[in-house]
Amino acid sequence: MVKNPDITIVLTKMPWCSHCNDFLEIYNNINSRIKHNKLLKNKKVITEEYNMEQEEAKFAEKYKDYMSKIDGYPTLFIFVRNDNKIHGETIDHTVIKQPQSQPSKKNMKKLIDDATDMFISKMESKYKSVIDEKKDEYVNVESGAKEGTKEGAMSGGGVVKCGGGGVVKCGSGGGGGGGGEDYEHKYRKYKTKYLNLLSNI
């Protein structure tokens, strides 16, 4: 296990979420592609994955202040270590470009690599913004305690909500993966479960 990673990428997902399953090909490709990024190739990078149907309590125990930022799936977080403090925020996922015809294995690998490189570029931008700007709001991931401004990680800034523009998540208007009333029912169910869980922490 990597101690004191420079960057931690956290994926929250649901087993019924088609967009989560699609993103897994990119997510599982991060460690093999990051060596091509000049800035991040020498950084300690780890990934964590949470099936929120079974591991919601586990996620909440470690990332209590980030539960309220999950408004759709997949939701990803990036945590950057700077001066022994950790800054965390959401990061948009990328999608694999869909070809007009069935691609060969070689071409499919290139499409996955391209989408992974795009996600790693987003990681680089987030990393640079924290290191260069020396942001003063951090979260102690081990205890879930906030440091810095009072609003902290509970503000919900930067997350793309279901039905919003930009990034397609399960339940959003972008199509596919359990939208409409079925998603709304599941979302309310897990939101209620989250609130009950939060009250007991």
Side-chain angles (χ1 to χ4, degrees):
M1 183 176 180
V2 178
K3 292 184 178 180
N4 300 324
D6 299 303
I7 300 173
T8 303
I9 298 296
V10 179
L11 167 66
T12 62
K13 63 176 188 175
M14 284 290 187
W16 43 261
C17 171
S18 61
H19 298 304
C20 300
N21 295 330
D22 291 342
F23 180 73
L24 279 176
E25 291 187 284
I26 298 170
Y27 176 82
N28 292 329
N29 199 32
I30 292 173
N31 288 329
S32 65
R33 293 298 299 176
I34 204 163
K35 62 186 178 184
H36 299 289
N37 184 283
K38 291 182 180 180
L39 177 64
L40 302 184
K41 65 180 180 180
N42 295 320
K43 304 299 180 184
K44 296 178 182 178
V45 179
I46 64 170
T47 56
E48 295 180 7
E49 182 180 338
Y50 293 87
N51 177 347
M52 297 299 279
E53 194 166 77
Q54 300 173 350
E55 299 177 302
E56 185 176 278
K58 182 179 178 182
F59 176 86
E61 182 179 0
K62 187 171 184 179
Y63 300 106
K64 176 181 177 181
D65 294 325
Y66 291 84
M67 284 292 292
S68 64
K69 286 195 172 187
I70 301 176
D71 276 356
Y73 296 97
T75 292
L76 287 112
F77 300 92
I78 180 169
F79 296 93
V80 175
R81 183 178 295 275
N82 186 27
D83 295 332
N84 294 320
K85 290 185 177 181
I86 298 174
H87 172 83
E89 59 183 278
T90 56
I91 180 172
D92 293 340
H93 70 282
T94 55
V95 296
I96 300 170
K97 184 178 179 181
Q98 296 300 314
Q100 294 182 347
S101 58
Q102 182 66 29
S104 63
K105 286 186 177 180
K106 182 178 180 180
N107 289 339
M108 191 64 214
K109 183 179 184 305
K110 185 179 185 308
L111 291 173
I112 295 172
D113 285 347
D114 287 347
T116 306
D117 291 344
M118 187 180 300
F119 182 75
I120 291 172
S121 292
K122 291 176 180 286
M123 290 171 53
E124 179 184 12
S125 296
K126 295 284 189 179
Y127 178 81
K128 288 173 67 175
S129 70
V130 173
I131 300 301
D132 294 346
E133 296 177 15
K134 299 184 183 301
K135 293 185 178 180
D136 60 357
E137 182 185 326
Y138 297 89
V139 171
N140 183 333
V141 175
E142 297 302 323
S143 66
K146 290 179 290 184
E147 299 178 13
T149 59
K150 188 173 183 180
E151 291 78 11
M154 297 295 288
S155 64
V159 69
V160 179
K161 296 184 178 181
C162 295
V167 176
V168 178
K169 296 187 178 185
C170 280
S172 71
E181 294 181 0
D182 180 57
Y183 177 82
E184 184 178 359
H185 172 74
K186 289 178 179 178
Y187 175 77
R188 288 180 177 177
K189 173 184 174 183
Y190 285 100
K191 193 69 172 181
T192 301
K193 183 179 177 182
Y194 152 66
L195 292 173
N196 290 335
L197 179 67
L198 191 62
S199 65
N200 293 324
I201 292 178

